[in-house]
Amino acid sequence: MSILILQITIKQWDKSQRTDKHVEKRAKIPEEYAIAFPPAFHLFQDRCIVDQHCDDLLSDRLTYRLDGEGKIKFDRFQVCTNTKTIEYTGNPISQKAFRKVGSIDNNWIKCKYEWRYSVYKNDYYYWLYEEVSVNVISMMTLDKNIFLNSTPSTLFKG
């Protein structure tokens, strides 16, 4: 039985952090890490490992659910554990259909997108910007350094 590995990095900032200095600082944050427990954790009867590295100003905005067809859905993605593919939907509000990114069967894929949210906090509205990077692979045996020691087969930008 194969294991699905999801490594997610979220970088968040507000409007005041859009200067060149802030952009350079965010660019230095890695998007690939060795898998370590913790912070990594198992889901769905140990069929999936999730390794999250993120700013979390929206507090726990990522949820993971497994449907009856073997599809793990999170954020703007779904991974089909049967076909070992990842799909992306783009804007979650539009309810667009998912589109296939590629095969993750012993092949890792990096998916990236940027987004912004209107946030209400302390009687003020502000824009919260984020850059999300998802590294994903399905493999028979866990290689804790898979994302460090190899390059992605596909780089998808949504």
Side-chain angles (χ1 to χ4, degrees):
M1 182 171 85
S2 63
I3 188 160
L4 173 67
I5 303 166
L6 299 171
Q7 186 174 75
I8 300 142
T9 304
I10 300 177
K11 303 173 190 180
Q12 294 177 330
W13 64 95
D14 65 33
K15 192 173 182 176
S16 70
Q17 299 167 317
R18 296 186 304 163
T19 67
D20 289 342
K21 182 179 175 182
H22 288 102
V23 170
E24 288 175 24
K25 184 177 177 183
R26 281 192 298 278
K28 291 179 183 175
I29 298 171
E31 294 176 350
E32 296 88 19
Y33 297 86
I35 308 292
F37 296 92
F41 57 92
H42 290 273
L43 282 178
F44 312 119
Q45 300 169 337
D46 294 341
R47 293 180 13 197
C48 178
I49 294 172
V50 176
D51 185 29
Q52 291 180 192
H53 302 269
C54 54
D55 297 326
D56 198 6
L57 302 175
L58 295 178
S59 41
D60 296 328
R61 77 164 195 77
L62 291 179
T63 58
Y64 304 88
R65 44 188 210 290
L66 177 64
D67 71 13
E69 298 174 354
K71 293 180 180 176
I72 296 173
K73 297 181 179 186
F74 65 99
D75 198 39
R76 291 168 174 77
F77 300 94
Q78 76 178 7
V79 175
C80 182
T81 58
N82 299 324
T83 62
K84 296 183 178 144
T85 56
I86 186 168
E87 299 175 326
Y88 176 77
T89 190
N91 185 342
I93 298 168
S94 71
Q95 300 298 318
K96 285 185 181 178
F98 283 94
R99 66 181 192 256
K100 185 176 175 181
V101 174
S103 171
I104 57 168
D105 190 13
N106 289 312
N107 230 9
W108 77 274
I109 292 178
K110 175 183 284 295
C111 301
K112 291 179 74 165
Y113 73 88
E114 291 184 359
W115 198 251
R116 70 179 183 175
Y117 300 91
S118 175
V119 177
Y120 182 73
K121 187 175 180 180
N122 298 330
D123 295 329
Y124 292 100
Y125 282 99
Y126 69 94
W127 285 112
L128 178 66
Y129 300 87
E130 72 178 10
E131 178 184 273
V132 177
S133 175
V134 176
N135 302 328
V136 58
I137 188 169
S138 178
M139 55 194 329
M140 295 304 290
T141 309
L142 174 62
D143 175 354
K144 292 182 179 187
N145 295 308
I146 187 67
F147 302 125
L148 295 176
N149 294 340
S150 61
T151 58
S153 63
T154 302
L155 176 56
F156 173 83
K157 292 190 178 184

